[in-house]
Amino acid sequence: MQSSPLLLEEPIRMASILEPSKPTFFPAMTKIIGTLGPKSRSVETISRCLDAGMSVARFDFSWGDPEYHQETLENLRAAIKSTKKLCAVMLDTVGPELQVVNQTDRPISLQEDTLVVLTPDQKKEATSNLLPVNFSGLSKAVKKGDTIFIGKYLFTGSETTSVWLEVSEVDGDDVTCLVKNSATLSGSLYTLHVSQIRIDLPTLTDKDKEVISSWGVRNNIDFLSLYTRHTEDVRHAREFLSKFGDLKQTHIYAKIENIEGIKHFDEILREADGIILSRGNLGIDLPPEKVFLFQKAAIYKCNMAGKPVVVTRVVDTMTDNLRPTRAEATDVANAVLDGSDAILLGAETLRGLYPVETISTVGKICAEAEKVYNQDLFYKKAVKCMGEPMSHLEAIASSAVRAAIKVKASVIICFTSSGRAARLIAKYRPTMPVISVVIPQLKTNQLRWTFTGAFEARQSLIVRGLFPMLADPRHPAESNSGTNESILKVALDHGKAFGVIRPHDRVVVCQKVGDSSVVKIIELED
């Protein structure tokens, strides 16, 4: 795998570090995905999360029932209406998750250097010496010396709330393990992860399919987060989604979280709409010193392919604290400098004490890192990677970005129907926001007429630097100059209202006029 050098612009003035950050309407070009849950599901809290910079709401079905998540989603819709901030919806599937089942709900204390038996007999009571698991094939999948991690949803990784085990003996269906650290497991379910071992379970479980076909269909989900080991996982998920009308448009984001996913990364990248680097699980499957290498190599590949890439587990300590550690703040900045499109917050917003402050803090760190991101170096790499001859759309997109940087434009405005042209512009990482004006299209299935556009607009909310607006459907993307001028004025007014366009600014516009693609530069008057 190829990785890129640190994309840092030089030189950085030391004095600039002491200057206060300037507030802007867009908290950062890098997007923030927030997981909604007990501490972040009220209309008031979600509204504050949207104002702080959250652009995608993640619904994690590894806990909670559909009714609970539906209530949360209704609150999200109310918050969107009150704040007038767009927000997309991501459904996170459980996948083939191994679990320890504690039917008594009583805390279980495990002591270092003692033995504990993992058994597939879920009727047995969980104790300090015996842990029932939901997978009958565990004894066939592991061998002596293998490492097993157990923790609550892998959220914390804290040595006091999660435990590392080493397989010492396999006896029939039971697996005897040596406890490597003392810990107390609390709650009814804990996830179990076996390092570098393939678990022969389907990617989309029956529970996942039920949730998608009911909750997902009802709510027209924008993104599906899919545990992915190889490209067939994505294909099967896409075939399943295609059975449900509007879900044909749902983008599939492949969660890479184990050795299998890494081995098949290139094929998965070609098939998926985007990638999520699930560093919590990766940190268990990979040696710690290898995680950063995969992060850099994977992000580089996603950037060159023009596929959005999301990084997880960046500010874990903010689950319980108001400020991140210095290492975490640096980790967020490095994810931005590596080329991440979005940062995904899990426990920090799901059950954390400071969901709004976490989103705000991460956004501020991203914004500072973006100021020193070496766009010129990245642009040259991206153009070189494309080679020659470029496709028509690639040539237009790269030219629009280069023109915008040369004339110091305040914003790029792109007219699009599918969103593809805007995503291609964002691929070249312009230093200014890209306003994607999504033009709805009228379609029919012979039974009813529908407008497209809402999906395409929301799906831009995960792409770095892309800020969508849904245009009047009476103005087609390809039209006469009079109509184009009319809708351009609406887009400019939109930018002015949000403070990204000011008098005398230069704006680069990318649109289709007839059969031609046009990039033009306009200078605004008072």
Side-chain angles (χ1 to χ4, degrees), residues 25-32 53 55 303 308-309 336 339-343 366-367 370 373 375 401 410-414 421-437 457 459-469 500:
F25 170 73
F26 300 120
M29 306 275 269
T30 306
K31 304 302 177 63
I32 298 175
S55 62
N303 288 169
V309 56
V336 174
S340 301
D341 283 85
I343 302 293
C366 290
E370 288 158 8
Y373 182 80
Q375 195 280 336
V401 172
S410 58
V411 71
I412 299 173
I413 296 176
C414 177
R423 286 195 297 272
L424 273 179
I425 290 174
K427 167 187 171 180
Y428 288 93
R429 294 289 189 260
T431 53
M432 66 290 296
V434 180
I435 296 179
S436 170
V437 183
Q459 286 167 343
S460 299
L461 292 167
I462 205 168
V463 181
R464 181 161 158 177
L466 204 51
F467 300 91
M469 62 173 282
V500 294

Side-chain angles (χ1 to χ4, degrees), residues 172-227:
D173 290 336
D174 294 343
V175 178
T176 302
C177 301
L178 177 68
V179 179
K180 303 297 287 185
N181 65 281
S182 298
T184 300
L185 304 176
S186 61
S188 58
L189 290 173
Y190 334 106
T191 57
L192 181 151
H193 190 99
V194 187
S195 295
Q196 302 191 20
I197 296 296
R198 188 184 197 284
I199 302 302
D200 192 18
L201 288 171
T203 293
L204 275 182
T205 64
D206 290 340
K207 179 184 175 182
D208 289 331
K209 290 180 178 179
E210 182 183 344
V211 167
I212 292 168
S213 60
S214 56
W215 194 91
V217 170
R218 175 182 176 184
N219 297 297
N220 283 342
I221 56 169
D222 302 298
F223 304 108
L224 181 74
S225 173
L226 181 75
Y227 169 86

Side-chain angles (χ1 to χ4, degrees), residues 14-64:
M14 285 299 178
S16 70
I17 296 171
L18 303 177
E19 295 172 0
S21 301
K22 295 178 181 178
T24 60
F25 170 73
F26 300 120
M29 306 275 269
T30 306
K31 304 302 177 63
I32 298 175
I33 302 169
T35 305
L36 300 185
K39 296 294 185 180
S40 56
R41 68 190 301 257
S42 69
V43 175
E44 180 189 359
T45 303
I46 296 174
S47 297
R48 292 173 62 207
C49 287
L50 292 172
D51 285 332
M54 181 180 77
S55 62
V56 180
R58 173 175 171 258
F59 292 80
D60 184 357
F61 276 81
S62 63
W63 66 277

Side-chain angles (χ1 to χ4, degrees), residues 118-129:
L118 305 181
T119 178
D121 189 351
Q122 297 182 46
K123 294 178 182 178
K124 292 184 177 179
E125 182 178 329
T127 67
S128 298
N129 308 113

Side-chain angles (χ1 to χ4, degrees), residues 509-523:
V509 180
C510 185
Q511 63 188 132
K512 289 199 82 173
V513 178
D515 295 328
S516 302
S517 296
V518 176
V519 175
K520 65 181 180 181
I521 302 164
I522 59 175
E523 189 162 346

Side-chain angles (χ1 to χ4, degrees), residues 5 29 45 67 112 140 232 271 277 284-285 346 351 379 390 396 434 477 490:
M29 306 275 269
T45 303
E67 289 74 24
E112 185 178 349
K140 298 179 180 63
E232 287 303 315
E271 188 68 30
L277 304 182
I284 296 167
D285 230 31
R351 61 179 180 84
Y379 182 89
M390 270 188 175
I396 292 293
V434 180
V490 174

Side-chain angles (χ1 to χ4, degrees), residues 87-315:
C87 186
V89 171
M90 174 180 283
L91 190 163
D92 196 299
T93 57
V94 179
E97 186 169 73
L98 305 191
Q99 294 177 330
V100 174
V101 182
N102 176 18
Q103 295 177 345
T104 66
D105 267 7
R106 288 196 295 268
I108 299 171
S109 295
L110 300 175
Q111 298 300 316
E112 185 178 349
D113 291 331
T114 61
L115 295 176
V116 63
V117 176
L118 305 181
T119 178
D121 189 351
Q122 297 182 46
K123 294 178 182 178
K124 292 184 177 179
E125 182 178 329
T127 67
S128 298
N129 308 113
L130 184 76
L131 297 177
V133 298
N134 68 342
F135 180 48
S136 59
L138 183 64
S139 62
K140 298 179 180 63
V142 300
K143 62 183 184 304
K144 184 176 181 180
D146 283 345
T147 300
I148 297 175
F149 174 88
I150 298 175
K152 192 165 186 178
Y153 312 125
L154 299 180
F155 271 168
T156 63
S158 165
E159 296 302 335
T160 59
T161 60
S162 57
V163 66
W164 291 90
L165 308 176
E166 182 181 303
V167 177
S168 58
E169 184 184 357
V170 177
D171 182 14
D173 290 336
D174 294 343
V175 178
T176 302
C177 301
L178 177 68
V179 179
K180 303 297 287 185
N181 65 281
S182 298
T184 300
L185 304 176
S186 61
S188 58
L189 290 173
Y190 334 106
T191 57
L192 181 151
H193 190 99
V194 187
S195 295
Q196 302 191 20
I197 296 296
R198 188 184 197 284
I199 302 302
D200 192 18
L201 288 171
T203 293
L204 275 182
T205 64
D206 290 340
K207 179 184 175 182
D208 289 331
K209 290 180 178 179
E210 182 183 344
V211 167
I212 292 168
S213 60
S214 56
W215 194 91
V217 170
R218 175 182 176 184
N219 297 297
N220 283 342
I221 56 169
D222 302 298
F223 304 108
L224 181 74
S225 173
L226 181 75
Y227 169 86
T228 307
R229 292 169 288 192
H230 43 75
T231 188
E232 287 303 315
D233 294 337
V234 182
R235 291 197 187 111
H236 289 157
R238 208 178 294 284
E239 288 171 11
F240 184 73
L241 289 176
S242 68
K243 299 176 183 178
F244 304 104
D246 286 343
L247 292 196
K248 289 179 182 177
Q249 302 176 73
T250 299
H251 282 183
I252 297 175
Y253 275 61
K255 284 189 290 185
I256 307 298
E257 48 188 80
N258 59 21
I259 293 294
E260 274 191 284
I262 293 173
K263 286 179 179 176
H264 301 112
F265 184 81
D266 289 347
E267 307 96 86
I268 292 170
L269 177 60
R270 283 193 291 271
E271 188 68 30
D273 296 300
I275 297 290
I276 297 174
L277 304 182
S278 188
R279 300 194 310 173
N281 288 339
L282 276 173
I284 296 167
D285 230 31
L286 279 177
E289 67 273 16
K290 297 288 188 181
V291 176
F292 87 95
L293 283 174
F294 175 66
Q295 173 176 317
K296 289 181 178 295
I299 290 176
Y300 177 81
K301 285 178 175 287
C302 291
N303 288 169
M304 295 303 105
K307 299 280 183 83
V309 56
V310 179
V311 171
T312 70
R313 301 299 293 267
V314 288
V315 286

